Amino acid sequence: MIDVLVVDDDFRVAEINAKYVGKVPGFRVAARAHSAAQALGAIERGTIDLVLLDHYLPDQTGLQLIHRMREQGHGTDVIMITAAGDVTTVQTAMRLGALHYLVKPFTFAALRTRLDSYAALRRTVDRVGGQGIAGQEQVDRIFGALRTGPAPSSPGLPSGHSEPTTDLICDVLHRANHPLSAHEVAAETGLSRSTAQRYLRHLEQAGRLHLSLKYGDTGRPEHRYAWVAP
């Protein structure tokens, strides 16, 4: 089994990502961390094979954490999973040795593709490692193991929608004891109001949420959403 450390400052996102990892054969979540300090502590215990690392952490950035790991001699593999999509961050992650870079929001299929290619990389290295010296053909196999094709879109989700974001919104509404507006859902999840509204509309149309209207002083009704129990 490949032991994975899931690092994200948002507890709910970390839990969703951990559930995704648990769905992929050969992988298991060994620990979760919500700060760079917690992550480094887990890595120093020596049981982690792969880190799924967010960039925006409360005490350090994900890139700073990788730099500290390498300075201290930790060669633990890293896949970045973050909303940071600027070229500088991506390029720095590559230079620090991140094997993959997955931009939020993403689908389970996209994460599984990266994990499967990582597992293929480990198998290839193990086979080649037994030979002692790698020729060009073996080197090409190692680098080729990391290549991924385009991930298939998740069935049932419109273009531009992701499973983690959908799960995050569903979790908020499932735990709420009263209907919530798009503004309230956005505040709970950290999403923009427009993004929350787009997902809420889809979930309501899919029959997973109940829509009600609340009339205020302005005369314009506020849309409020409640979880529909299966």
Side-chain angles (χ1 to χ4, degrees):
M1 296 292 288
I2 296 173
D3 287 327
V4 180
L5 169 64
V6 176
V7 185
D8 199 293
D9 66 319
D10 189 311
F11 285 71
R12 290 167 295 185
V13 173
E15 183 62 27
I16 291 170
N17 291 347
K19 288 180 180 178
Y20 280 0
V21 172
K23 292 181 180 180
V24 183
F27 290 82
R28 65 186 174 194
V29 176
R32 299 170 181 78
H34 309 291
S35 68
Q38 290 178 359
L40 189 59
I43 293 166
E44 287 174 343
R45 287 191 285 273
T47 60
I48 304 299
D49 300 307
L50 174 66
V51 182
L52 299 186
L53 180 60
D54 187 18
H55 180 57
Y56 299 115
L57 299 173
D59 48 351
Q60 283 188 316
T61 67
L63 296 184
Q64 289 172 329
L65 173 59
I66 300 177
H67 187 69
R68 284 183 64 191
M69 289 167 54
R70 302 310 182 224
E71 279 190 331
Q72 296 180 18
H74 300 297
T76 311
D77 294 320
V78 175
I79 294 177
M80 295 293 294
I81 298 183
T82 176
D86 60 283
V87 175
T88 299
T89 301
V90 175
Q91 188 177 48
T92 303
M94 292 175 60
R95 289 172 174 169
L96 288 172
L99 298 178
H100 280 299
Y101 197 107
L102 195 55
V103 179
K104 298 177 181 178
F106 59 90
T107 64
F108 167 65
L111 176 59
R112 176 162 189 168
T113 298
R114 273 70 180 178
L115 293 179
D116 285 343
S117 74
Y118 174 72
L121 170 66
R122 287 173 62 97
R123 291 193 298 270
T124 303
V125 170
D126 287 344
R127 287 196 298 268
V128 173
Q131 301 173 19
I133 300 175
Q136 187 61 54
E137 181 181 353
Q138 287 77 22
V139 171
D140 289 343
R141 286 180 187 172
I142 292 172
F143 277 87
L146 280 176
R147 296 188 188 127
T148 61
S153 59
S154 297
L157 286 180
S159 176
H161 287 231
S162 75
E163 290 185 41
T165 304
T166 300
D167 290 345
L168 184 60
I169 290 175
C170 288
D171 180 61
V172 167
L173 288 160
H174 185 261
R175 291 185 290 103
N177 56 12
H178 60 275
L180 300 177
S181 67
H183 177 75
E184 291 170 324
V185 171
E188 284 286 328
T189 59
L191 300 169
S192 68
R193 187 184 182 282
S194 60
T195 298
Q197 183 66 63
R198 180 159 51 89
Y199 277 81
L200 290 168
R201 188 180 302 113
H202 166 68
L203 290 168
E204 187 267 327
Q205 292 172 350
R208 299 175 68 180
L209 302 179
H210 173 72
L211 171 64
S212 60
L213 300 178
K214 179 181 179 181
Y215 290 88
D217 297 334
T218 61
R220 183 177 181 180
E222 179 184 54
H223 289 198
R224 301 184 68 83
Y225 299 86
W227 180 256
V228 176

